[in-house]
């Protein structure tokens, strides 16, 4: 299972405890970003938001309330790094109830360019801009998986009954329209206004007093560090795939954050002006065998960072996070035991008394402040927040830290790639992580670096840069001081454990990085290995002789298969995709095809298919794919 918080939904309810409040209570939708330093722009364009009371509903199941936008909205995830919010919609209304899933409907890169994308300076609706090894800026379309089915995000949000009011124009009925040369369809836009940079205010008048309150806010945090998947195909041809992973949701009224400041003296910045340093908030895995990333962010050009949003409680126990500050040219910094307080209006934690509590998932013991009816104002920062939807961020500061250069002069690092054992390929949507462990009997490995694999070649597109340095670590205290100790990790300075993770599979075993052969993954608990038989026919034999079949779930890549043999023979044939997770609520898949002529890789065409591949109650499935 991939534990990283790739897409997180955040709900703010103006004190009502709900999201997308219906019957007269308006809600706004924003995006916040997280992208690697080499990207100068990552444009994403959204045209609709859907909600469902069922957490297991597929996009073709019933129960969806669909809210399309009057015009699509475009956000640059690079600009929205560090907690900034880019608005994509305002004034959405949803009926009262408890919703278990939210779905964002994107606009594909092959669709006619939306006016919002054009005004932003993009040439595709979904686009990634980066500087290559020759110093040339590349603008590539971000390839989506079944964009008409959207990006599904599990959540659990109560929508209270609001004042009776007029909803969106329409009730979510959509009309399929073709996108360019592809066979995919998308929702016909209608409804609410979009594109505001801060949420509109709702005014109410009581007697002679007028009050102005902000709309409720919904935000999606898109993690480009693992969702941006570069790949190679044909000969010297490359592309970038957006493989979305959605794993968690937050209510902003009880969410918090962690802020900090790094001294960047002598730290080299990338072409985008950002230092190549990232910050993770990590918690222990359910089995206690390793730390897992729940949120990640880039360090901004001034050295500041903000991890937001983060949950503040688990049942009655305050939540603690260990913060990992990492990059190839610095010695990794680990700050242990950072408690994120609730907002002051939500029974904030006070330090009037204390108890000692051992967390259920850890042998580490923390001193936990007792919650009382009185509140104290926590250390709060609004650094990096530019949208008024997020001006009251409840973030505890870990202070100012000065990273040490990695070993060597000038700072040095090295790069590593991966291999797979014969007959033990990784799932196409796998992410490979590199871990290190602090000294101490009860310590378990932390995630230091992560990267998605090239799904068609089973290697890392960019060899992972790894620090050769020792590790600085210390424990956070409420007075804001952290005393650091430098020491080699258990694995040795510059040495790492490596393991893979992927949706639908259990986390891989941790293996010491020597030859960097990544252990194979097994299906997650409750899943059974199944297969898909795809009957592929080309409408014009000989038009394509190479291609790839991609299977996805909720916009995340799950499996791939080569179409070269059936396209080359012209008459088509059966392509089998083995090893699919089946028998679980998530075993709902959709197909996308990439096809091209080997003599002209630039002729690549994408085509996606509306037919659902439902393996929730079966271990085998079939689908007919006509390649146009």
């Amino acid at each position: 299972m991939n534990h990283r918080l790739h897409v997180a939904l955040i709900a703010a309810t103006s004190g009502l405890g709900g999201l997308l409040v219906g019957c007269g209570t308006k809600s706004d939708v924003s995006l916040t970003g997280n992208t690697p330093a080499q990207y100068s722009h990552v444009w994403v364009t959204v045209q609709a938001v859907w909600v469902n009371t069922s957490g297991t509903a597929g996009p073709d199941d019933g129960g969806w309330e669909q809210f399309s936008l009057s015009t699509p909205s475009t956000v640059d995830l690079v600009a929205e790094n560090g907690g900034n919010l880019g608005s994509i919609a305002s004034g959405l209304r949803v009926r009262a109830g408890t919703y278990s899933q939210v779905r964002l409907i994107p606009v594909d890169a092959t669709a006619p360019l939306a006016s919002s994308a054009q005004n932003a300076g993009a040439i595709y609706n979904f686009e990634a801009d980066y500087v290559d090894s020759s110093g040339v800026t590349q603008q590539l379309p971000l390839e989506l998986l079944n964009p008409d089915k959207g990006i599904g995000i599990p959540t659990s949000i109560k929508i209270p009954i609001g004042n009776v009011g007029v909803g969106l124009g329409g009730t979510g009925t959509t009309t399929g329209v073709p996108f360019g040369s592809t066979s995919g369809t998308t929702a016909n836009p209608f409804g609410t206004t979009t594109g505001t940079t801060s949420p509109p205010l709702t005014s109410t008048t009581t007697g002679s007093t007028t009050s102005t309150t902000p709309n409720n806010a919904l935000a999606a945090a898109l993690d480009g560090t693992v969702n941006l998947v570069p790949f190679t195909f044909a000969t010297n041809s490359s592309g970038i795939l957006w493989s979305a992973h959605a794993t968690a949701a937050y209510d902003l009224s009880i969410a918090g954050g962690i802020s900090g400041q790094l001294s960047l003296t002598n730290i080299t910045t990338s072409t985008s002006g950002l230092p190549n340093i990232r910050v993770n908030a990590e918690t222990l895995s359910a089995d206690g065998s390793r730390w897992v990333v729940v949120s990640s962010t880039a360090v901004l050009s001034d050295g500041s960072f903000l991890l937001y949003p983060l949950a503040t409680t688990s049942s009655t126990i305050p939540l603690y996070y260990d913060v990992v500050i990492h990059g190839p040219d610095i010695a990794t910094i680990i700050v242990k035991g950072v408690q994120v307080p609730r907002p002051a209006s939500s029974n904030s934690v006070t330090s009037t008394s204390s108890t000692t509590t051992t967390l259920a998932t850890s042998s580490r013991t923390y001193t936990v402040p007792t919650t009382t009816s009185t509140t104290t104002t926590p250390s709060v920062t609004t650094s990096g927040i530019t949208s008024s939807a997020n001006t009251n961020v409840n973030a505890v500061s870990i202070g100012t830290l000065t990273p040490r250069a990695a070993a060597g002069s000038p700072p040095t690092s090295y790069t590593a790639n991966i291999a797979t054992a014969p007959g033990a390929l990784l799932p196409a949507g796998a992410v490979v992580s590199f871990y290190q462990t602090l000294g101490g009997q009860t310590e378990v490995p932390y995630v230091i670096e992560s990267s998605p694999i090239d799904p068609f070649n089973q290697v890392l597109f960019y060899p992972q840069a790894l620090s050769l340095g020792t590790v600085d670590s210390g424990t956070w205290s409420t007075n804001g001081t952290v005393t650091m100790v430098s020491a080699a990790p258990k694995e040795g300075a510059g040495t790492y454990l490596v393991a893979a993770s992927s949706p639908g599979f259990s986390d891989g075993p941790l293996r010491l990085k020597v030859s960097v052969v990544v252990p194979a993954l097994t299906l997650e608990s409750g899943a059974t290995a199944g297969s898909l038989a795809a009957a592929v026919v080309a409408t014009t034999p000989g038009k394509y002789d190479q291609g790839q079949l991609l299977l996805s779930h909720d916009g995340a890549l799950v499996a791939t298969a080569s179409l070269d043999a059936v396209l080359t023979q012209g008459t088509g044939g059966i392509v089998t995709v083995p090893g699919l997770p089946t028998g679980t609520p998530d075993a709902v898949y959709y197909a996308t095809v990439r096809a091209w002529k080997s003599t002209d890789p630039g002729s690549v065409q994408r085509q996606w298919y509306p037919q659902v591949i439902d393996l929730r109650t079966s271990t085998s499935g079939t689908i007919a794919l006509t390649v146009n």
Side-chain angles (χ1 to χ4, degrees), residues 31-35 76-78 80-84 220-224 296-297:
L31 294 180
T32 183
N34 175 24
T35 54
D76 181 9
L77 296 184
V78 174
E80 307 311 332
N81 264 319
N84 292 331
L222 305 182
D223 187 355
S296 180
T297 192

Side-chain angles (χ1 to χ4, degrees), residues 198-494:
S198 60
L201 301 180
T202 301
S203 297
T204 57
T205 302
T206 304
S208 59
T209 302
T210 300
S211 63
T212 303
T213 59
N215 291 350
N216 302 322
L218 163 69
L222 305 182
D223 187 355
T225 58
V226 290
N227 290 346
L228 291 166
V229 184
F231 62 88
T232 57
F233 69 101
T235 302
N236 297 323
S237 295
S238 61
I240 301 181
L241 178 74
W242 181 266
S243 180
H245 301 79
T247 59
Y250 296 99
D251 182 340
L252 198 60
S253 68
I254 57 172
I258 299 172
S259 69
Q261 180 73 44
L262 298 185
S263 172
L264 297 180
T265 304
N266 298 323
I267 299 296
T268 302
T269 59
S270 69
T271 304
S272 64
L274 298 176
N276 193 13
I277 304 174
R278 306 196 62 78
V279 185
N280 300 339
E282 302 189 13
T283 60
L284 279 170
S285 60
D287 63 4
S289 67
R290 70 195 74 190
W291 292 85
V292 295
V293 179
V294 296
S295 184
S296 180
T297 192
V299 173
L300 301 181
S301 57
D302 64 355
S304 65
F305 64 84
L306 174 63
L307 289 158
Y308 182 83
L310 295 169
T312 55
T313 58
S314 176
S315 299
T316 59
I317 300 176
L319 286 183
Y320 290 81
Y321 299 90
D322 283 14
V323 176
V324 179
I325 303 169
H326 58 97
D329 296 326
I330 68 168
T332 297
I333 299 172
I334 298 177
V335 181
K336 300 188 291 185
V338 181
Q339 182 191 341
V340 180
R342 279 181 174 236
S345 60
S346 302
N347 295 324
S348 293
V349 172
T350 180
S351 57
T352 54
S353 61
S354 64
T355 59
T356 298
T357 301
T358 301
L359 301 187
T361 57
S362 174
S363 59
R364 182 180 296 166
T365 300
Y366 294 118
T367 298
V368 180
T370 302
T371 301
T372 70
S373 58
T374 61
T375 62
T376 58
T377 303
S379 174
V380 176
T381 179
T382 57
S383 174
I385 303 301
T386 59
S387 170
S388 62
N390 212 8
T391 54
N392 295 316
V393 170
N394 177 59
V396 63
S397 174
I398 62 173
T400 299
L401 301 170
T402 302
R404 287 191 298 115
S409 180
T412 59
S413 61
Y414 69 103
T415 59
N417 216 314
I418 65 167
T420 53
L425 297 181
L426 293 174
V431 171
V432 172
S433 296
F434 295 81
Y435 299 77
Q436 287 184 322
T437 314
L438 295 177
Q441 186 176 0
T442 62
E443 295 288 352
V444 296
Y446 289 90
V447 177
I448 307 300
E449 304 288 354
S450 293
S451 182
I453 66 169
D454 178 332
F456 310 113
N457 299 283
Q458 290 283 306
V459 295
L460 303 180
F461 183 88
Y462 297 110
Q464 181 63 60
L466 297 168
S467 172
L468 281 167
T470 54
V471 177
D472 292 347
S473 64
T475 301
W476 178 81
S477 62
T478 54
N479 63 13
T481 61
V482 181
T483 301
M484 289 291 173
V485 176
S486 299
K490 285 184 179 179
E491 297 77 14

Side-chain angles (χ1 to χ4, degrees), residues 38-297:
Q38 67 264 34
Y39 290 93
S40 55
H41 296 288
V42 177
W43 303 107
V44 300
T45 302
V46 176
Q47 63 178 330
V49 178
W50 299 1
V51 294
N52 201 308
T53 57
S54 170
T56 60
D60 288 317
D61 292 335
W64 290 103
E65 293 191 43
Q66 303 178 12
F67 298 95
S68 297
L69 312 182
S70 57
T71 57
S73 290
T74 301
V75 169
D76 181 9
L77 296 184
V78 174
E80 307 311 332
N81 264 319
N84 292 331
L85 297 178
S87 176
I88 60 173
S90 61
L92 300 183
R93 293 187 177 117
V94 175
R95 290 175 293 182
T98 300
Y99 290 86
S100 299
Q101 193 177 165
V102 177
R103 190 169 293 266
L104 302 178
I105 308 299
V107 183
D108 192 71
T110 60
L113 190 64
S115 59
S116 58
Q118 183 178 29
N119 293 338
I123 60 176
Y124 304 101
N125 294 307
F126 255 64
E127 174 183 321
D129 298 354
Y130 67 96
V131 178
D132 63 20
S133 58
S134 301
V136 178
T137 298
Q138 301 291 334
Q139 292 180 274
L140 293 182
L142 264 176
E143 297 189 12
L144 295 167
L145 297 160
N146 296 91
D148 55 320
K149 305 302 180 182
I151 300 169
I153 303 164
T155 188
S156 179
I157 300 294
K158 281 188 176 182
I159 299 179
I161 297 175
N163 297 324
V164 176
V166 180
L168 290 172
T171 60
T173 303
T174 60
T175 302
V177 294
F179 273 179
S181 61
T182 69
S183 64
T185 60
T186 185
N188 189 28
F190 70 93
T192 187
T193 59
T194 65
T196 57
T197 56
S198 60
L201 301 180
T202 301
S203 297
T204 57
T205 302
T206 304
S208 59
T209 302
T210 300
S211 63
T212 303
T213 59
N215 291 350
N216 302 322
L218 163 69
L222 305 182
D223 187 355
T225 58
V226 290
N227 290 346
L228 291 166
V229 184
F231 62 88
T232 57
F233 69 101
T235 302
N236 297 323
S237 295
S238 61
I240 301 181
L241 178 74
W242 181 266
S243 180
H245 301 79
T247 59
Y250 296 99
D251 182 340
L252 198 60
S253 68
I254 57 172
I258 299 172
S259 69
Q261 180 73 44
L262 298 185
S263 172
L264 297 180
T265 304
N266 298 323
I267 299 296
T268 302
T269 59
S270 69
T271 304
S272 64
L274 298 176
N276 193 13
I277 304 174
R278 306 196 62 78
V279 185
N280 300 339
E282 302 189 13
T283 60
L284 279 170
S285 60
D287 63 4
S289 67
R290 70 195 74 190
W291 292 85
V292 295
V293 179
V294 296
S295 184
S296 180
T297 192

